[in-house]
Every structure is written in structure tokens, then in C-alpha cells.
Amino acid sequence: MKEVAFQQCIAASCSARFGIEELLFACTKCGSLLDVRYDWDRAVVPKKLSAFESRWNTPGRSADSRADYSGVWRFRDLLPFAPTEKLVSIGEGRTTLQEADFLATTIGMHPGQLYLQYEGFNPSGSFKDNGMAAAFTMAGVLGKSRVACASTGNTSASLALFARHARTQEGLPLQAVVFVGGGKISSAKLAQALDYGAKTIQVAGDFDDCMKLVREAAEKLDLYLMNSVNPFRLEGQKTIMYRVLEGLGWDVPDWIIVPGGNLGNTSAFGKAFAELRHLGLIDRVPRIAIINATGANALCALVNEHNLRWNDSDWDQSIIDKYWSQMETENFRAQTVASAIEIGRPVSLTKALRTIDVMDGVVRQVTDDQILDGKALVGAHGYGCEPASGASVAGLRLLLDEKVISPADRVVCILTGHALKDSAVTANYHTGGPTKPRFANPPVTCAANIEDVERILTGKD
Ligand code: F0G
């Protein structure tokens, strides 16, 4: 794999190239983010995407059949950076694409055109497991025994779970160290990190503080950094798009809609489609809509108000620097009910600009109320999701109103986390207060007798 894969700076003016086993989280020449890249002429890739379908398998004993059981490694030819014997898997990526006709008609779309991709069905309950399978594989290749991340809750849950299942070169579990914002993380996500045995550091600050701290700690204390600045994470997350295509019989949809937080998914999706196009495996690329929460809207503001563009990888860094320093002057802190995407300074910002370019993307922001309504619609018509994921359906409703998306377009909303990740927010939506939200379904109180049940069910008061 060393002959096929390498790391490369994303800035074309620099394009510095590094070996696949060099331990880096930014270009040492210019400081930009790094990609994992492949010499596709030397890689063996199936001629047609449909070849991947035949790999669905039950777990067997060989390295190949174990890899085929994973929804990430089933596509290993499209992320060929490690030998099959070294691939780490806990059964990630066996997720579902739902054709959501009731939801489609409820929000004014044509039936058969709206799909929901449930990444909450991963073992730790979020899409993060796709990326962790890849990053833990690299940790194994590099012989790392301690791994770390900053998190709003899902990265930490996923890292903690994988650390228990992956093995060091001595055959032991890895040590997981997670940095989470004190008081910000949902209790279910905190519980996962604790239950899976991670050293859980609750920082008196928010995600952005945790991110800064974990970078320092990784450098000083020899921790392998597992946030999405680790380019291997994004290789795993590319496979979400492969599974979406597979669910659609390998047809390319018109739109992918994704919540935007740290922008790892956004970055991975653009890379996935650029590579598939380069390989001649698809003939067109879908558009992408990236949805911020209004209280955590750096990408939306930078793109739509400050005209920040990829510009052939020659983005205007001064726009970004000015924006960050203004945030600092104003002591701005991200704030949204969707705690998973409560992020002020997304680390994969520049790669997200590239995705907007590749996928002719748009960026929008939605309010907390719109996010919660979006989430409730997924609950009522699908399998439910956590608040941040509701942003994608909220974004779809907004873009239908704006007529950017047409009711006849084929749309896939990515649902990033499981409904049980933040049930306190869900219960509060349905039961809370006098200002009843639009799709609330509050419980009805009942005396312990059949007459009262009858009164309730017949609507006779
Ligand atoms: N949805 C959920 C459920 C998330 O947990 C996250 C990110 C996002 C969306 C945003 O995705 O960062 O790729 O743009 N959660 C990270 C965490 C930050 O620490 O769990 P992104």
C-alpha cells in the first residue's frame, strides 16, 4: 500500500507530498490540511461500482470476509492505504437508506424522491464509526497505543468504543483520552465514553477550547489525534456516499444534504465524488447543501457574507483570519440546541470549500426551532435522529421554500446520529411548556380506569 498511497497538502501552490506513515496533522511546509491521496494507476479498482454489491457477507474467518462485513472496508479498493490483514472493524457502516415517501409528501416533495441515510445505525450510534475504522487502522499501522480527540460527544463515544476493540502491537486494548466541554455534552454521549472506559477530561470551556487543548496534548504527550484533521478519518467517511449510491442502485441523486459542524463529513463527501468521477465510476456529481445552526454558522457566514471561495485551492486566508479575530474580539461562543454541531471554528473549513466547488454546493443556516421541527419529522416518518441530524431536513424545507431544490429532485438527507443520543431534547420538545412546537406529540394524562381511557381514545371530554 505504501506504493499506492501518500499524503499531500491540499494547497496547489504548495502540494508538498509526504509518506503514508509520516505522522502529520498539517502540512509542515505551509500549515494547510493534508489529504490521503492515491496513485490510481497502480491501485486495483473495479471497473463498475456494482462490483461492490457482491461483497455483502456474513462474518467469516479470513481477513477478506471480515473486511466485507464492514460497510467501510467493503469499499477498501477506494481507500487503499492499508493491507487487508490490518483493517480495524467493529461492524461499522451497515447502515440504512430509507425511501421516505410519507415525509416527502408531508413537506411537499414528490414521492419516491426523498431518502434518509441513517448513520445513527452504526455501533456507537453515529457516523463517526466510519472514520474511526480508518483512523484506528492507521493507529495500528503506526503502532500507537494512546489515542485522543476533542468532541461534542459522538467522536468521543466512537473513539472510546473502538479503543476497546482495536489492539496494540502487544495485543492489548488502546488507551482512549477524550476532551469534552464541561456541561455541553449530552448525558447519553458522556455515558458512552465513561462506559467504554475512556479517560474522560471535562474541560471548563467549549468544543473550540477542547480542540485547542487536544492538539497541544497530542504533540506533547504522544497521543494519536483522532479528530478530522487526521486525514485517515475522512477516508472512512467517504464510504457513506458509496453506500448512498448503492442504496439508489448506483444512480447519482440530485442533492446530498448534510449538517455542518467541524465539516469533516462535508470534506469527505466532496473527496469521494471527485475520486469517483476521476476514476470514471460516475458520470455526474450531485450537489451538496451544508446546513449550519444559526448559533454556529461560521461556514455560512464566510461563504455567503464574506464571499470566501476555494478558488482553485488559492483561498483568501485573510478573510478567514479576519473572521476568527473578530470572533475573538467579540468573545463569540457557538450556541445551539444541536450540541453536536455547536462549533465556532470548524477545523476542516478549507476542505469544505473544496467540496462546495466540486459539488456546486450551497450553505444555509437554520434556527434551533427549525432543527427541532426537522428532527420531529424524522421521528414521525422514519426511525428518528438526534437534533444535529434534524438540521438536514430543516435545510431541505428551507431550500424547497427558496425553490433552490425542486419537489421533483432526488434528495438524500444524511442523518448523522441516533434518536437516543439526546433524548432529553426530544422529550422536552414533545412535552415542554405552553408554546407547543408544531409537531409536538405530548402524552395525555389518564386516570387509572377504563372510562378515562375511552374518553381519551374517542375524543369525548
Ligand atoms: N451530526 C452529528 C450527530 C455530529 O456528532 C457531528 C459532529 C456533526 C453532525 C457534524 O459533522 O463535524 O463532520 O461537520 N460531531 C463532532 C463530535 C464534532 O465531536 O462528535 P462534521
Side-chain angles (χ1 to χ4, degrees), residues 1 29 86 92 115 150 162 166 175 181 201 225 301 308 333 358 372 401 419:
M1 297 298 166
K29 300 226 164 74
K86 297 220 163 161
E92 62 289 328
Y115 292 81
F162 267 86
Q175 189 191 352
I201 302 178
L225 186 57
L308 182 66
R333 294 281 161 185
V358 169
L372 292 177
D401 279 352

Side-chain angles (χ1 to χ4, degrees), residues 126-128 150-156 189 207 227 237 259-266 340-341 343 386 388-389 416-417:
S126 84
F127 73 92
K128 303 288 178 180
S151 184
T152 55
N154 280 327
T155 306
S156 46
K189 296 175 188 177
F207 175 82
N227 282 98
Q237 288 170 217
N262 225 7
L263 302 175
N265 261 345
T266 298
I341 52 173
I343 292 171
E386 71 164 280
S389 314
T416 44

Side-chain angles (χ1 to χ4, degrees), residues 125-128 149-158 179-180 189 207 211 227-228 233-234 237 258-269 290-292 338-343 346-348 385-391 414-418 421:
S126 84
F127 73 92
K128 303 288 178 180
C149 69
S151 184
T152 55
N154 280 327
T155 306
S156 46
S158 178
F179 292 75
V180 297
K189 296 175 188 177
F207 175 82
M211 196 62 231
N227 282 98
S228 50
R233 269 270 311 274
L234 303 189
Q237 288 170 217
V258 64
N262 225 7
L263 302 175
N265 261 345
T266 298
S267 304
F269 297 173
I290 306 150
I291 313 299
N292 278 164
S339 59
I341 52 173
E342 192 180 73
I343 292 171
V347 299
S348 294
C385 63
E386 71 164 280
S389 314
I414 308 300
L415 302 179
T416 44
H418 198 279
K421 285 279 190 176

Side-chain angles (χ1 to χ4, degrees), residues 63 131 199 244 329 336:
K199 175 68 74 190
V244 163
T329 315
T336 165

